[in-house]
Amino acid sequence: MHTTPEAVIVILGMALVTIAVKASGLLLADRLPRDGFAAAWLRHIPGAVLAALVAPALVTGSPAEVVAALATGGIFILTRNLFAAMATGVITVYLVRLLIAG
Amino acid sequence: MSTLAAPYRFSEQFYAGARACIPVAISVAAYGLVWGMLARGAGLSLLEVVMMSGLVFAGSAQFVALDLWTATPSSLPIGPLILAALIVNLRYLLLTATLRPLYPEKGLWRGALSMYLVTDENWAMTVAAMARGGGSVAFLMGGGVLAWISWMSTNLIGYGLGSAIDDPARWGLDFAFTATFLALLLGMWKGRGDIVPWLVAALTAIATAQFVEGSWHILVGGVAGSLAGALVEVRKHAHHA
């Protein structure tokens, strides 16, 4: 059980912005844009952030990672199960790396 | 709170909300197990895991945080970490705004505190209940508390399991991140309207990662992609009108 001042600041900061955003939605509900540009922008943020997160890792990855990404995507589309998809990705990358190295 | 006048109804609604959230709590648990394992790999201490899961309590933001986390405190990117949490959580503005009809005009500020317990999962269940003419603050909180317990306990179990593995990359576990995010992304697919924002986000992020150190590509790509998505959507509506 240990931590550092930097980590505590980060965690408290993250907690604060998270509750602030959640509370703002309720408090500003009567004034938020229901349609138009701002509403569309907010709606697209989560997907865009995740796409931005995943893409560089796949482009800079080895063939093993590309194959594993395809397997992960395939299993997720088939099962809609996050854990199954993650496990498939990990097992695939492990096996393909073994094959390439061996 | 107005619910104090009828406490038995509060607990009834609370349990109803928790029951409704049992199926999604299972997926929260799977997700929580993965986060706990990855948190150990990223170098978080047990205390930091407890604090982050207990206080931040936002899955996707916590996954993004692990990607930015450094084991050496002096190089911890404090600003980018907090900014990333803000951006990833911006969607909650829209989610909690839809809960407004559950709250009376007077206790709105007190109600704002209960927003801490809102997750994608219990929000979805509550909105579904509202659509059927039900739903209440107690129902929302019942689901939220169940999700919190599920999240916290599986994070700790995952953290414990992570200790059994000394070199994560040797077992392919370094890929768990990319795989998890990829699955989360696919789960968000709503139709062809997502093609442009996702593509713009991906390409901008790839280009940014080439030239800028650190994790700015997440923010730059996320902002560029979501703006592109909004532009396309607004222009399409303008054409139809």
Side-chain angles (χ1 to χ4, degrees), chain B residues 12-24:
Chain B
E12 211 171 79
Q13 277 286 303
F14 186 90
Y15 289 126
R19 266 200 308 276
C21 278
I22 289 174
V24 290

Side-chain angles (χ1 to χ4, degrees), chain B residues 104-212:
Chain B
E105 192 58 59
K106 269 194 173 168
L108 204 55
W109 276 98
R110 196 156 20 164
L113 287 178
S114 69
M115 291 297 102
Y116 162 71
L117 280 175
V118 173
T119 65
D120 297 300
E121 286 80 10
N122 65 328
W123 171 82
M125 290 300 155
T126 306
V127 171
M130 286 165 77
R132 293 190 302 266
S136 62
V137 176
F139 185 93
L140 176 76
M141 293 177 88
V145 168
L146 181 72
W148 193 93
I149 293 171
S150 168
W151 180 243
M152 195 61 160
S153 54
T154 52
N155 284 168
L156 293 176
I157 295 169
Y159 193 80
L161 290 176
S163 69
I165 294 152
D166 49 349
D167 178 15
R170 193 168 159 247
W171 303 103
L173 283 172
D174 54 327
F175 190 72
F177 258 128
T178 311
T180 307
F181 283 130
L182 186 62
L184 282 174
L185 177 67
L186 292 175
M188 286 186 182
W189 176 258
K190 287 198 192 69
R192 282 192 305 184
D194 288 324
I195 295 175
V196 170
W198 291 12
L199 211 59
V200 170
L203 295 176
T204 314
I206 291 165
T208 309
Q210 294 274 315
F211 299 108
V212 189

Side-chain angles (χ1 to χ4, degrees), chain B residues 34-48:
Chain B
V34 177
W35 190 83
M37 288 173 72
L38 294 177
R40 185 165 201 127
L44 271 82
S45 72
L46 183 59
L47 181 62
E48 285 158 2

Side-chain angles (χ1 to χ4, degrees), chain A residues 2-3 18 22 43-44 53, chain B residues 45 48 89 96 118 181 233:
Chain A
H2 65 91
T3 187
T18 304
K22 288 180 179 178
R43 223 177 7 255
H44 281 295
L53 209 98
Chain B
S45 72
E48 285 158 2
N89 283 326
T96 60
V118 173
F181 283 130
E233 210 173 301

Side-chain angles (χ1 to χ4, degrees), chain A residues 62-95:
Chain A
S62 65
E65 270 129 68
V66 176
V67 173
L70 290 174
T72 305
I75 291 296
F76 183 78
I77 290 166
L78 286 177
T79 66
R80 308 303 290 179
N81 184 312
L82 187 72
F83 192 75
M86 192 278 295
T88 304
V90 168
I91 293 166
T92 309
V93 94
Y94 172 71
L95 292 177

